[in-house]
Amino acid sequence: MGFEVNRFKSEVDDELICPICSCVLEEPVQAPVCEHAFCRCCITEWISTQPTCPVDRQAVTSGQLHPVPRILRNLLARLTISCDNALFGCPLVVNLDSLSTHLKDCEYNPKRPIPCEQGCGMIIPKDELKEHNCIRELRSIIQSQQTNFNAYQQQISELKFIMNEYKRELTLLKDFMRAMRISNPAMRAIADQMERDEVVRWSGTLAPARVTRWGGMISTPDENLQNIIKRSLSESGCPPHIIDELMENCHERRWPPGLSSLETRQNNRRLYENYICKRVPGKQAVLVLHCDNTHIGENMMVEPGLVMIFAHGIE
């Protein structure tokens, strides 16, 4: 649908009128052979029911339409037109090619979004301002958010139920594998491999870490500090079958010979650089897992790995 002719302040040439809607062309396109021009919207709708030119009935499809010549576009651009919001008081008359820019900021636009100054600060259309009630609108928003919140809670409850079912099934599977491992040597090897694979997968989820100050190592962490690290490991997805053993290995009494005393640690400090370390999430601590450090000698490594806690110096 084009622009109504009576909105223009000068006479409009017939070549600028759409034969379908009898208005001034809007987004004009033309047929390829006869070169008749139409509003894009008008001719597209026309062709959807009868693929012919409405003027001379020559066959035409939407894919054959193309923009009108520049001279026709320039003639349209120079026409002067009243604002769409003239009925609401806008006195401006602008060139047709400037109309869309003006309408974005026209202060007479009844749908122009403006902030409520009565206290709620909501952005609402100008023509709805008189009927706007802050309390009613805010109550409506709160009710809508409460509905969404209840729906989210329901989804969370359902997901928790599904997760608990998965955990229960996983526990049953692990119990079964443990029983089979005891009674069947072949199953014992399979179960051991599954557990090793689980550790490798978990290690792949952890961020790499670099120790910049090995002197900040805490070799005898107290129980509270160990519980903090254990909680972090559990939240990171540490396989349950190794978490207790890892935590026992965070104290120097369980460290390998190359780390068993302050003297040996000082002598072997150059070997620390060969460790592949993973970050204990959110803590000044690293994991040196056996699966990541098969290149390290037995005097510097234990199964399933080491937990090293630091006062500082972790990147």
Side-chain angles (χ1 to χ4, degrees), residues 192-307:
D192 289 343
Q193 185 60 50
M194 289 177 62
E195 289 183 347
R196 286 194 293 270
D197 291 344
E198 188 178 4
V199 175
V200 171
R201 285 194 295 271
W202 171 61
S203 175
T205 67
L206 301 173
R210 188 170 73 91
V211 179
T212 59
R213 299 186 65 178
W214 289 97
M217 188 190 307
I218 301 174
S219 58
T220 56
D222 60 25
E223 185 176 353
N224 288 335
L225 184 54
Q226 291 186 46
N227 287 334
I228 292 173
I229 301 299
K230 183 176 182 179
R231 188 180 306 115
S232 183
L233 288 177
S234 178
E235 291 172 352
S236 74
C238 178
H241 67 275
I242 67 167
I243 192 167
D244 288 335
E245 194 170 359
L246 280 176
M247 290 313 304
E248 290 178 3
N249 291 350
C250 75
H251 197 286
E252 67 175 4
R253 62 174 173 265
R254 290 291 299 271
W255 285 355
L259 300 174
S260 60
S261 67
L262 179 60
E263 182 180 358
T264 56
R265 289 196 291 274
Q266 289 176 339
N267 293 335
N268 292 327
R269 179 165 295 189
R270 61 181 180 81
L271 299 179
Y272 296 164
E273 297 179 358
N274 294 324
Y275 278 146
I276 295 176
C277 302
K278 298 293 179 67
R279 185 73 178 261
V280 176
K283 307 301 178 187
Q284 282 287 313
V286 300
L287 286 157
V288 183
L289 295 170
H290 187 275
C291 63
D292 294 329
N293 290 273
T294 55
H295 60 288
I296 298 295
E298 293 183 359
N299 69 319
M300 295 290 290
M301 180 54 59
V302 294
E303 285 270 13
L306 298 166
V307 176

Side-chain angles (χ1 to χ4, degrees), residues 43-231:
I43 190 62
T44 300
E45 182 178 353
W46 177 281
I47 290 176
S48 68
T49 58
Q50 43 188 329
T52 60
C53 172
V55 177
D56 57 19
R57 303 304 176 181
Q58 291 196 53
V60 63
T61 64
S62 59
Q64 295 173 321
L65 299 173
H66 55 80
V68 299
R70 180 180 297 178
I71 186 171
L72 191 58
R73 296 199 300 271
N74 290 341
L75 289 173
L76 285 167
R78 285 197 289 267
L79 293 177
T80 54
I81 185 173
S82 60
C83 176
D84 291 16
N85 301 313
L87 293 176
F88 302 103
C90 182
L92 288 182
V93 175
V94 298
N95 286 343
L96 186 57
D97 63 346
S98 302
L99 180 62
S100 60
T101 302
H102 163 70
L103 290 176
K104 291 180 181 178
D105 301 315
C106 180
E107 61 179 301
Y108 294 92
N109 180 1
K111 294 299 180 182
R112 182 167 63 94
I114 58 175
C116 170
E117 297 180 352
Q118 300 177 34
C120 71
M122 291 179 62
I123 305 298
I124 54 177
K126 181 180 178 181
D127 61 350
E128 297 179 16
L129 189 59
K130 290 183 180 179
E131 302 298 326
H132 175 67
N133 182 295
C134 295
I135 295 177
R136 182 181 65 238
E137 296 296 336
L138 290 174
R139 183 181 294 117
S140 176
I141 293 174
I142 292 173
Q143 290 174 346
S144 175
Q145 292 180 340
Q146 183 63 47
T147 300
N148 292 337
F149 178 73
N150 292 338
Y152 291 147
Q153 279 191 319
Q154 179 64 28
Q155 292 177 5
I156 291 172
S157 298
E158 293 173 357
L159 290 173
K160 284 182 176 179
F161 175 77
I162 294 172
M163 289 297 295
N164 288 334
E165 286 297 300
Y166 285 152
K167 288 180 179 179
R168 185 178 67 82
E169 293 176 4
L170 183 60
T171 300
L172 291 174
L173 177 60
K174 288 182 176 180
D175 290 343
F176 172 75
M177 294 298 294
R178 192 174 296 112
M180 292 297 294
R181 181 167 52 188
I182 295 172
S183 61
N184 188 323
M187 288 299 298
R188 184 182 305 126
I190 294 174
D192 289 343
Q193 185 60 50
M194 289 177 62
E195 289 183 347
R196 286 194 293 270
D197 291 344
E198 188 178 4
V199 175
V200 171
R201 285 194 295 271
W202 171 61
S203 175
T205 67
L206 301 173
R210 188 170 73 91
V211 179
T212 59
R213 299 186 65 178
W214 289 97
M217 188 190 307
I218 301 174
S219 58
T220 56
D222 60 25
E223 185 176 353
N224 288 335
L225 184 54
Q226 291 186 46
N227 287 334
I228 292 173
I229 301 299
K230 183 176 182 179
R231 188 180 306 115

